[in-house]
Amino acid sequence: MRTADIRSRFLDFFAARGHHVVPSAPLPTPDPTLLFVNAGMVPFKPYLTGEAPAPWPRATSVQKCVRTLDIEEVGRTTRHGSFFQMNGNFSFGDYFKEEAVAFAWELSTAPQADGGYGLDPGRIWVTVHHSDDEAAAIWRRVAGLPAERIVRRGDEDNFWSMGVPGPCGPCSELYYDRGPAYGREGGPAVDEDRYMEFWNLVFMQYERGEGAGKTGYPLLGELPRRNIDTGMGLERMATLLQGVDNLYEIDETRPVLDRAAELTGTRYGADHRSDVRLRVVADHVRTALMLLADGTAPGNEGRGYVLRRILRRAVRSVRLLGYEDPALRELLPAARDCMAHSYPEVAEDFDRISQQAYAEEDAFRSTLRQGTTVLDTAVAEVKADGGRLLPGAKAFLLHDTYGFPIDLTLEMAEEQGVEVDRDGFAALMAEQRERARADARARKSAGALDTSLLRPVLDAHGPTDWRAYDTLLTESRVLALLGPGGGPVRAVRSGEIATVVLDRTPFYAESGGQDSDAGRLTGASVEAEVLDVQRPLPGLVVHQVRVTAGELGVGDTVQAAVDAEWRLGARQAHSATHVLHAALRQVLGPGALQSGSYNRPGHLRLDFPWRGPLGPMARAEVEEAANRALRRDLPVDVRWMPLAEAKALGALALFGETYGERVRVVEIGGAWSRELCGGTHVDHASQVGVVALTAESSVGAGMRRLEAAVGFEGFGYLARERDLVARLAEQLQAPRDRLPERVSALLDRLKTADQQAADLRRRTAQAHAAELAASAADVHGTLLVTTVTDDDARALALAVRDRLPADRPGVAAIATTTSGRATLTIALNPRATTAGLSAATLVKSALSGRGGGTAEVAQGGGIPAEELGAALNGLKGLLARE
């Protein structure tokens, strides 16, 4: 049975039993503490924790998930995969243990002809929590399982919580006995390779308190509404039903592995090392495909860095298998063909996906070349000093600066007869991880409100009456205040900054790339400036305000007023973003899909996948297409409709956003621009005024960013450009249309003057070099030249070295000083290196370790200028000892 069929069969089964089918949420999550969805229950978390009422009593989904905490284990074992799919059925205060067990047993064991999976009931084992007599009894009653196949286990295995105070409960896991070929008898407590877990049923029935670990917390009592959260591993079930050994051999993964084996001339199963690399390729190419499909772009931070690392590990693994050519062009289409049965968007959007992936591979191949050069130089230095251990700091530099994986460094160093200081590297990596964790903790504490303090407000008063689409002014009541210290307060005074919850508000909360509104709260005895507006919980809008006069208290009635000019600017910028996006697609083609945006009054930026700069002509075409749309005064129409209808209309969705059953569609000129959007917009395109492109830049491999000034600010930008051209024309005494020619002529003259000056400096240096070489001092048979210069120290050192007699060891040490610090360059002639001298060693010795290079040429610096004389004199002592 194909994996896609296992997936659809699961959804059909639960839909027939009253479950609402919920589409998979995108892999990127809006949760700042979580990069990607890593479990099937993540999209349902607000309903399971009580943060928001569930829209349905029961639901089912097949959720895409990515886990990268154990990415180094991918391929080493056959259990670990970074991308996986979790089939789940959920009950929100509806059914509980008996029905959950019955559903799982029926679907697992019913014949395939009747819509089940047809597993042999005699080979299914289950585990329950040691205290859960109820679950054990249900398994005996519903499934007829004998006691010996119902295994009781402890908290570590069969009790679930989210790691924080909130819902928790026992769980029951289903295992399938794959037979003696896979391990020992005795059930899952003895061998979890033979007995493969394929389904976990979580019974959320308790509330847990504070505490660490899986057992260090109290149970506070029963939940008022008990929930069911189950997860069946789709890849695990495919492994069982397709009769293969592991998840790398199922139909959605094996074709990628086979294509990698074909490219590299490797046979899967021949040796462990090659098998690991083939599995890494198969997993990572599929994972990258799905992340790119959901709008993640390679980058240097957060989600982008995870994707970049996954792509580079795949490329590197193919390289280590002996394939030197670009590999993703062969492998990514194989992954697309595997996944398109379940996710048609990977085929529909493959042009954009592949463009980004191939650009990243090209960039990494260039990085590999640079890193290889750095590594070769470092290995040469180690050998020149008589060592055999590459410092951990050098391996870390290769990893951190050049993106060089440590295992590649280890292998290449080994090929050259050098080991790597792995302990030193590990220590530096640990320091970096701790800095990253500390930074994440700081961002979490600084950038996120304590939702536990706001949830009672939502529970007591319900969702905020949000009027941002309808009005700029409401009469509102203060429901709650969080003071400057973050905790609840009854009142805040002039000069203090506080978080305010109102019963109703006209303020737009930051979302969908649009900045939040600005404005004021005004009461009988208070004035406050609104600084920021957010939605920390579904349905709850909160305002960060600065009290400018009087006192604001809980229960006060205030007028909440949006700054009308600010909102107009925001509407212009957001509509301009849609217009620019449509213009990009009109000029560049459908592959130029928005991958992120930000807009505020007067300004917008828009990211989109593209290889290389647009160029002046393409930029001009895009800008003209956008402004022609504004001149035509295209109508702006906003409609609510079912998600399926919006998709049928071809409405574009922003990558990474999660949409409900009903969506808001914004059209500008009908089908010309049709997007799902929750932002505020103008009524007619002409109200935008003008879109003036101000910048285009790279924001990662295969990703470009356009920035533009909009509306009044756009006119201001064009006016400043006009004035600048006028001043240049006046200063250069040229008509405006001749300015490019005049500037080009001036640049040519400057280039010629620079070349002449460089030639003069070179001749002067050569003459100076001859004089310095003639004045070389004899230090125990080695000719030594030392001097301080204002010229190019490296060029002068090389020139002096080349003029020293070839039959005697020669050392040229040339120093410069800048801003009170000194730099030293040392160059050796061939006779000196043959005699065993090393420029790198001399620089490090003279400057107390500050410097590096090769045996022939090295440079270092950073010492105070007043210490330079001693350093140069110290060279004589070093040569004397030699």
Side-chain angles (χ1 to χ4, degrees):
M1 188 183 298
R2 291 192 318 176
T3 303
D5 296 331
I6 299 171
R7 176 182 185 274
S8 60
R9 185 167 293 215
F10 185 93
L11 295 175
D12 291 345
F13 177 90
F14 283 101
R17 287 153 182 81
H19 292 67
H20 182 83
V21 178
V22 180
S24 173
L27 286 165
T29 75
D31 185 344
T33 67
L34 190 65
L35 292 179
F36 300 110
V37 172
N38 62 359
M41 56 77 64
V42 169
F44 301 98
K45 181 179 174 183
Y47 314 139
L48 295 169
T49 60
E51 292 179 13
W56 339 270
R58 51 178 74 179
T60 185
S61 71
V62 178
Q63 176 60 47
K64 298 173 287 187
C65 303
V66 165
R67 289 181 188 165
T68 57
L69 289 177
D70 53 3
I71 191 172
E72 299 295 343
E73 294 302 313
V74 169
R76 297 181 186 276
T77 76
T78 55
R79 290 186 184 182
H80 292 84
S82 48
F83 172 82
F84 60 97
Q85 299 158 86
M86 192 58 70
N87 298 4
N89 58 286
F90 304 87
S91 165
F92 310 108
D94 187 13
Y95 63 81
F96 200 50
K97 290 183 186 178
E98 181 110 12
E99 294 89 340
V101 167
F103 288 150
W105 184 255
E106 181 184 359
L107 179 56
S108 298
T109 61
Q112 294 186 8
D114 297 335
Y117 292 133
L119 295 181
D120 181 355
R123 296 168 69 177
I124 295 178
W125 292 57
V126 301
T127 62
V128 297
H129 190 252
H130 63 78
S131 68
D132 197 352
D133 296 333
E134 180 186 12
I138 292 172
W139 278 114
R140 287 193 295 271
R141 183 171 62 255
V142 170
L145 284 176
E148 61 268 20
R149 283 199 277 132
I150 303 174
V151 182
R152 294 177 182 260
R153 305 182 82 171
D155 291 349
E156 289 291 326
D157 298 298
N158 279 77
F159 201 89
W160 177 92
S161 84
M162 285 186 286
V164 295
C168 64
C171 57
S172 182
E173 297 168 328
L174 286 77
Y175 291 79
Y176 195 70
D177 180 3
R178 298 199 288 168
Y182 289 92
R184 297 174 294 161
E185 281 192 54
V190 173
D191 192 326
E192 290 198 10
D193 283 327
R194 170 172 173 171
Y195 299 89
M196 177 184 283
E197 179 191 350
F198 65 90
W199 206 333
N200 184 17
L201 316 179
V202 176
F203 310 128
M204 293 188 192
Q205 64 186 101
Y206 302 114
E207 182 177 2
R208 61 159 283 183
E210 294 280 358
K214 287 214 169 190
T215 57
Y217 54 82
L219 295 181
L220 304 180
E222 290 265 352
L223 292 172
R225 287 169 59 85
R226 301 182 299 180
N227 301 320
I228 288 293
D229 158 24
T230 88
M232 187 189 82
L234 180 55
E235 284 78 8
R236 297 255 179 130
M237 183 58 78
T239 298
L240 296 175
L241 295 185
Q242 293 174 17
V244 296
D245 186 67
N246 56 68
L247 63 90
Y248 295 99
E249 298 177 9
I250 65 173
D251 63 320
E252 287 189 349
T253 314
R254 184 62 187 254
V256 185
L257 187 151
D258 288 341
R259 183 63 181 132
E262 180 183 354
L263 289 175
T264 60
T266 307
R267 184 175 65 82
Y268 184 57
D271 67 87
H272 178 68
R273 175 178 287 189
S274 296
D275 287 355
V276 168
R277 289 171 180 163
L278 288 170
R279 289 195 288 261
V280 168
V281 172
D283 173 88
H284 284 11
V285 169
R286 185 170 78 138
T287 302
L289 172 78
M290 302 310 294
L291 288 174
L292 286 161
D294 273 358
T296 302
N300 291 324
E301 295 181 351
R303 299 181 179 98
Y305 180 73
V306 172
L307 173 57
R308 171 162 287 168
R309 186 181 179 208
I310 285 171
L311 279 167
R312 292 185 170 193
R313 289 189 91 235
V315 171
R316 179 249 306 166
S317 295
V318 176
R319 180 188 182 280
L320 292 177
L321 287 166
Y323 189 74
E324 298 288 344
D325 294 333
L328 292 182
R329 290 162 176 80
E330 303 291 337
L331 299 172
L332 203 64
R336 172 201 61 199
D337 296 343
C338 290
M339 301 306 297
H341 298 291
S342 297
Y343 305 99
E345 63 269 20
V346 302
E348 296 164 1
D349 204 18
F350 191 69
D351 286 347
R352 176 190 63 83
I353 293 168
S354 59
Q355 186 179 79
Q356 290 181 271
Y358 301 161
E360 182 63 23
E361 179 176 26
D362 292 344
F364 183 48
R365 286 167 58 81
S366 174
T367 292
L368 279 175
R369 288 192 292 271
Q370 297 173 30
T372 300
T373 301
V374 173
L375 178 61
D376 290 345
T377 301
V379 169
E381 290 177 9
V382 169
K383 289 183 174 180
D385 291 340
R388 285 293 179 268
L389 186 67
L390 187 74
K394 187 65 71 172
F396 181 76
L397 171 72
L398 285 162
H399 163 82
D400 197 49
T401 303
Y402 295 93
F404 228 55
I406 180 60
D407 40 358
L408 185 57
T409 299
L410 290 170
E411 182 161 322
M412 294 179 67
E414 182 183 358
E415 291 171 356
Q416 301 186 57
V418 173
E419 297 181 357
V420 177
D421 177 11
R422 301 188 67 170
D423 291 340
F425 173 81
L428 290 168
M429 283 295 293
E431 290 177 14
Q432 185 190 61
R433 291 193 190 102
E434 183 52 40
R435 286 194 299 270
R437 280 193 290 266
D439 182 53
R441 287 193 295 268
R443 286 201 306 270
K444 182 179 176 182
S445 61
L449 290 164
D450 187 347
T451 55
S452 67
L453 299 176
L454 295 169
R455 193 170 296 116
V457 182
L458 182 62
D459 292 341
H461 300 282
T464 305
D465 182 8
W466 189 60
R467 304 285 186 86
Y469 293 147
D470 309 318
T471 183
L472 299 179
L473 181 69
T474 62
E475 185 174 280
S476 307
R477 186 165 61 91
V478 178
L479 300 179
L481 289 169
L482 301 183
V489 294
R490 297 298 303 172
V492 287
R493 295 171 179 82
S494 180
E496 293 182 330
I497 294 178
T499 298
V500 182
V501 182
L502 302 175
D503 62 343
R504 70 177 55 85
T505 181
F507 286 91
Y508 183 85
E510 180 183 356
S511 64
Q514 181 175 328
D515 204 351
S516 61
D517 278 334
R520 302 192 70 79
L521 303 183
T522 306
S525 60
V526 68
E527 289 278 343
E529 176 188 6
V530 176
L531 306 174
D532 190 22
V533 189
Q534 297 291 333
R535 288 181 185 270
L537 292 171
L540 188 71
V541 177
V542 302
H543 313 72
Q544 185 187 61
V545 307
R546 179 189 290 112
V547 179
T548 55
E551 180 178 285
L552 183 65
V554 174
D556 286 357
T557 297
V558 295
Q559 274 199 336
V562 177
D563 183 323
E565 284 297 315
W566 180 278
R567 172 66 74 82
L568 174 59
R571 294 166 64 203
Q572 290 175 317
H574 204 150
S575 295
T577 303
H578 285 224
V579 167
L580 185 59
H581 186 201
L584 266 174
R585 290 166 55 76
Q586 176 180 316
V587 174
L588 302 181
L593 273 172
Q594 176 183 326
S595 295
S597 68
Y598 171 73
N599 50 78
R600 56 174 170 77
H603 173 83
L604 71 84
R605 69 170 185 250
L606 187 150
D607 298 341
F608 62 100
W610 200 253
R611 298 184 68 179
L614 294 188
M617 185 174 294
R619 283 181 56 180
E621 286 184 44
V622 170
E623 187 177 63
E624 181 179 346
N627 285 297
R628 283 186 179 279
L630 304 186
R631 191 178 69 178
R632 293 202 307 272
D633 196 22
L634 297 176
V636 179
D637 184 37
V638 179
R639 291 185 287 161
W640 287 90
M641 63 182 68
L643 178 60
E645 183 181 339
K647 287 183 175 180
L649 279 174
L652 298 177
L654 181 65
F655 291 116
E657 291 290 328
T658 302
Y659 299 98
E661 291 302 303
R662 287 185 61 78
V663 293
R664 187 168 178 264
V665 179
V666 176
E667 295 180 338
I668 302 177
W672 187 73
S673 171
R674 181 179 285 140
E675 300 189 30
L676 305 188
C677 180
T680 61
H681 289 272
V682 297
D683 299 318
H684 291 271
S686 62
Q687 292 174 322
V688 169
V690 69
V691 174
L693 294 182
T694 58
E696 186 219 349
S697 59
S698 169
V699 286
M703 187 65 65
R704 307 298 297 177
R705 169 171 292 172
L706 283 179
E707 297 184 64
V710 179
F712 190 77
E713 286 77 2
F715 287 116
Y717 172 80
L718 295 175
R720 291 190 296 274
E721 292 285 294
R722 177 198 62 199
D723 292 343
L724 175 61
V725 171
R727 289 199 303 273
L728 287 173
E730 182 179 355
Q731 291 173 358
L732 296 177
Q733 296 183 349
R736 295 187 184 194
D737 59 352
R738 301 293 300 275
L739 274 178
E741 298 173 26
R742 181 62 60 87
V743 171
S744 179
L746 281 174
L747 290 174
D748 288 342
R749 288 169 57 187
L750 284 172
K751 183 177 180 181
T752 300
D754 285 344
Q755 290 174 342
Q756 291 172 345
D759 290 341
L760 180 60
R761 287 195 300 272
R762 188 162 46 253
R763 288 195 297 271
T764 302
Q766 289 171 350
H768 192 197
E771 296 173 6
L772 290 172
S775 66
D778 188 321
V779 181
H780 286 263
T782 297
L783 296 177
L784 173 64
V785 174
T786 61
T787 190
V788 181
T789 183
D790 293 329
D791 296 326
D792 183 335
R794 181 180 177 87
L796 183 57
L798 294 175
V800 172
R801 177 197 67 182
D802 293 342
R803 282 163 177 74
L804 292 172
D807 58 347
R808 297 184 62 185
V811 177
I814 311 299
T816 59
T817 60
T818 305
S819 301
R821 313 300 289 183
T823 300
L824 177 63
T825 302
I826 295 180
L828 274 59
N829 67 6
R831 186 61 182 269
T833 56
T834 302
L837 295 177
S838 166
T841 301
L842 290 174
V843 161
K844 291 178 182 177
S845 299
L847 301 180
S848 303
R850 297 187 181 100
T854 66
E856 292 80 17
V857 183
Q859 188 175 49
I863 65 171
E866 57 267 22
E867 296 179 12
L868 181 58
L872 293 176
N873 287 330
L875 283 173
K876 297 179 180 179
L878 291 171
L879 293 175
R881 288 196 297 273
E882 293 290 338

